Amino acid sequence: MLQDIRDNAQGTIAKVIIGLLIISLSIWGMDAIVGGFSGEPEVATVNGDSITEREFLRTVQLETQQRLMQMDSPDPSMLDEDQIRRDVLESLIQERVLTLDAQAQGLELSDADIDALITQMPQFQVDGQFNRDRFVATVRNVGMGVGEFRENMRKNYVVNQIRASIAQTGIVASENAAQLLRIQNQTRDFRVLTVNADSLSEQITVTEEEIQSFYDDNADQFREPEQVNAAYITLSLGALADAIEISEEDLRAFYDEQAEEYAREERRAAHILIEDGSDAEATIASIQERLEAGESFADLAEEFSADTVSARDGGDLGYAGRGVYDEAFENALFALEEGEVSGPVETSFGIHLIRLEGVRRSDVPSFESLRDELRDELARSRASERFAEVRAQLADAAYAADDLAGPAAELGLDVREVDGVTRDGGAAPFDHAGLVRQLFSDDVLQGGFNTELIDVGDNVSVVARVREYFEPRQRELADVRDDIAAMLEARKTRQALEARVDELMAALEAGEDPESLNAGDWQRFENQGRDGANLSRFVVQRAFAMPRPDEGNPSMAKAVGQREAAIILVDAVNEGAVDTDGAEYQQLRQFLTQLEGQREYMAYQQYLRNTAEVDRD
């Protein structure tokens, strides 16, 4: 059981725990004894089991935060709150269906298992050891009770167990993988006759009447939307930092304080990598026993490590500083004493045993080499202390002012201008949807007010006002004539290319010899794969989509692009080679098996959802 917990520590459970930032170290306190949510308002019941309003609202809040974090420019007004609530409720219903199914199957995570999982997670460790203060700080930030946390742990673990067990039942016939690989590795013998647009240029003319007709028939395409010219003030931490004067004395004092941090520590690691699997726990235990018995780490790395490159050197990975390895690997490495071997460390590559071979520190860089970096860091530190204050001043001043000149002069900022901002946005910073929406609000557009101060990025805030407003207008034909002409020419070119290859194909179908078409030279390709060297991509795709030739007669098709078209004659289809002992075949079969397992689990999940009794309040 404990190894199962470790196996899932970097998987679904870990993501739930870390993603939600839940936990209270007082897992041994009163909260763990009381727990529960009885008597709370319900938002739905699933097979008689309640989803509480508190659980629902907390999940809505977390989902909202997650969606904001996924935005390049987080803006709460861009979120569809009703949709989020619908999505969250359906997600909670689906989760409850799975949890109840797990309970019905007798799957359970004991209190001891939960405690073991929590204390082993690196996110709650300091120097490789479980840290109560970090644990407590995490839960205080979220405000989740321990009873609630432990219930989440219990639910997600057992659901994950069912998911894993069903996913592992996926079966794919060997011949299916082999057939896909044959198709992928298939080659073809074919001929291609290419017709270029340049050869048809004399046939393609666009008249003024055609341009006028297209303009009249598609007038809506040539309407300019309403737009504004705007003035704006930008307040940024970077600009504040640039304006701060840093004395030589302050700079040298800062260097003295920070110098040791610039001395880079590097650690030399050796590792034994064991691929995650059913026998991984036994293999790790065997290696640890042999290490305790005095066997060489290097010899065991050479014998067991799945990292065959480093295994030849006794698992040696050389020296590296922070930021090189996977986070879990790095945390374990930098918590070791020289010569010490870690416990099992899980990463996406598998399970590692890590030995610290050595530690070295670089010399502290000179003051002159760090001058610019120190200046920027110190200036930004001081600017950050001022930013919130100046931001509040700008927000107040802009709210009360009839223009931007006054607030700008008061705070020593510049008023800038931009033209042509539409409701779809404009040049930065008007590529921020929230700022644009403010700019086109009635108060700003018609009332002549300034916008609110909008945060358009990290420590960057903008306030704006409309300088000039332009109604939607129809663009004149003279302004768009060249664009229309180019579009009509491209359309006629494609039509001419298609007509020409249709003509040539008709001649071939009538029995004319391909070599006597007097339409250019045929290119021949023997055993050509899908990489399509020296061929347009659309020609290769068409060649491999064509049927096999029939009894020695080539199959024929056309491929038409923007500036060229081609006739393709496929003479032969050559089956791709399949090495059932090769890595390519094994990887494909494993991938197909995983897909099938996922499909089986999704079908099982949908069945449970369809048969559940759900009442929404």
Side-chain angles (χ1 to χ4, degrees), residues 436-556:
V436 172
R437 191 163 48 253
Q438 279 274 322
L439 194 64
F440 280 89
S441 66
D442 290 343
D443 285 347
V444 178
L445 194 62
Q446 300 172 10
F449 293 99
N450 297 327
T451 68
E452 297 177 10
L453 187 62
I454 304 295
D455 295 323
V456 299
D458 292 338
N459 296 313
V460 179
S461 303
V462 173
V463 61
R465 67 180 291 109
V466 172
R467 293 166 39 230
E468 194 172 4
Y469 172 75
F470 300 94
E471 295 280 355
R473 73 176 184 90
Q474 184 71 35
R475 298 180 67 187
E476 299 294 334
L477 175 60
D479 297 332
V480 297
R481 181 198 174 283
D482 291 344
D483 293 337
I484 295 175
M487 186 273 299
L488 292 176
E489 181 179 350
R491 179 185 296 177
K492 287 191 170 188
T493 297
R494 186 180 178 89
Q495 292 171 346
L497 286 168
E498 187 161 12
R500 177 56 175 156
V501 296
D502 284 345
E503 176 187 342
L504 295 172
M505 288 176 67
L508 291 173
E509 290 171 348
E512 189 167 341
D513 182 61
E515 303 298 334
S516 64
L517 286 179
N518 193 29
D521 296 328
W522 288 83
Q523 290 178 281
R524 294 180 179 273
F525 298 89
E526 303 289 336
N527 287 317
Q528 175 63 56
R530 297 175 184 271
D531 55 356
N534 303 319
L535 272 175
S536 298
R537 192 66 202 157
F538 73 95
V539 174
V540 176
Q541 291 173 345
R542 189 72 184 93
F544 276 86
M546 292 167 58
R548 295 169 180 266
D550 183 22
E551 297 181 357
N553 296 319
S555 59
M556 179 170 61

Side-chain angles (χ1 to χ4, degrees), residues 167-359:
Q168 290 172 4
T169 64
I171 298 175
V172 173
S174 300
E175 181 55 29
N176 289 352
Q179 182 61 21
L180 282 176
L181 200 54
R182 288 190 195 99
I183 295 172
Q184 175 63 33
N185 294 337
Q186 184 186 95
T187 65
R188 296 194 168 201
D189 301 341
F190 57 91
R191 291 167 281 170
V192 178
L193 178 64
T194 302
V195 179
N196 292 312
D198 293 341
S199 66
L200 304 175
S201 59
E202 294 182 359
Q203 305 175 24
I204 300 168
T205 58
V206 177
T207 67
E208 292 300 325
E209 290 76 13
E210 290 172 324
I211 294 174
Q212 181 70 56
S213 177
F214 186 88
Y215 176 80
D216 293 339
D217 293 342
N218 300 275
D220 288 345
Q221 293 185 23
F222 307 108
R223 285 180 61 82
E224 283 189 349
E226 62 179 334
Q227 55 185 267
V228 299
N229 296 340
Y232 67 98
I233 298 173
T234 298
L235 173 66
S236 71
L237 180 65
L240 285 180
D242 290 342
I244 290 178
E245 295 291 335
I246 304 293
S247 68
E248 184 74 6
E249 181 181 356
D250 288 347
L251 201 58
R252 287 192 175 275
F254 188 60
Y255 170 76
D256 292 338
E257 293 174 5
Q258 303 294 317
E260 281 302 313
E261 294 187 10
Y262 288 96
R264 178 180 172 84
E265 179 182 304
E266 294 183 319
R267 294 195 163 207
R268 183 175 182 178
H271 79 141
I272 300 172
L273 174 63
I274 303 300
E275 293 182 348
D276 202 355
S278 58
D279 60 346
E281 181 179 4
T283 303
I284 289 287
S286 175
I287 295 172
Q288 290 177 318
E289 289 177 2
R290 292 172 64 176
L291 285 171
E292 291 175 1
E295 291 195 43
S296 165
F297 187 93
D299 291 342
L300 292 171
E302 187 173 356
E303 179 180 349
F304 287 99
S305 184
D307 181 359
T308 56
V309 176
S310 68
R312 290 195 296 266
D313 298 322
D316 187 20
L317 297 174
Y319 280 98
R322 290 188 179 274
V324 174
Y325 298 120
D326 179 278
E327 182 180 3
F329 190 103
E330 178 182 296
N331 289 340
L333 175 62
F334 278 80
L336 293 174
E337 299 293 334
E338 191 167 342
E340 184 181 3
V341 178
S342 73
V345 177
E346 295 185 27
T347 71
S348 58
F349 300 101
I351 305 173
H352 310 255
L353 291 176
I354 307 166
R355 176 182 165 90
L356 177 59
E357 302 289 351
V359 179

Side-chain angles (χ1 to χ4, degrees), residues 123-136:
Q123 290 78 9
F124 307 116
Q125 295 180 355
V126 175
D127 295 332
Q129 298 295 320
F130 180 76
N131 183 273
R132 181 185 182 93
D133 292 338
R134 176 171 292 187
F135 206 29
V136 171

Side-chain angles (χ1 to χ4, degrees), residues 44-51 93 96-101 103-104 607-615:
T45 59
V46 180
N47 292 337
D49 195 68
S50 300
I51 296 176
I93 290 172
R96 190 58 51 86
V97 166
L98 296 172
T99 302
L100 293 174
D101 176 62
Q103 291 175 358
Y607 165 76
L608 293 177
R609 177 64 179 87
N610 292 342
T611 57
E613 295 183 5
V614 178
D615 293 323

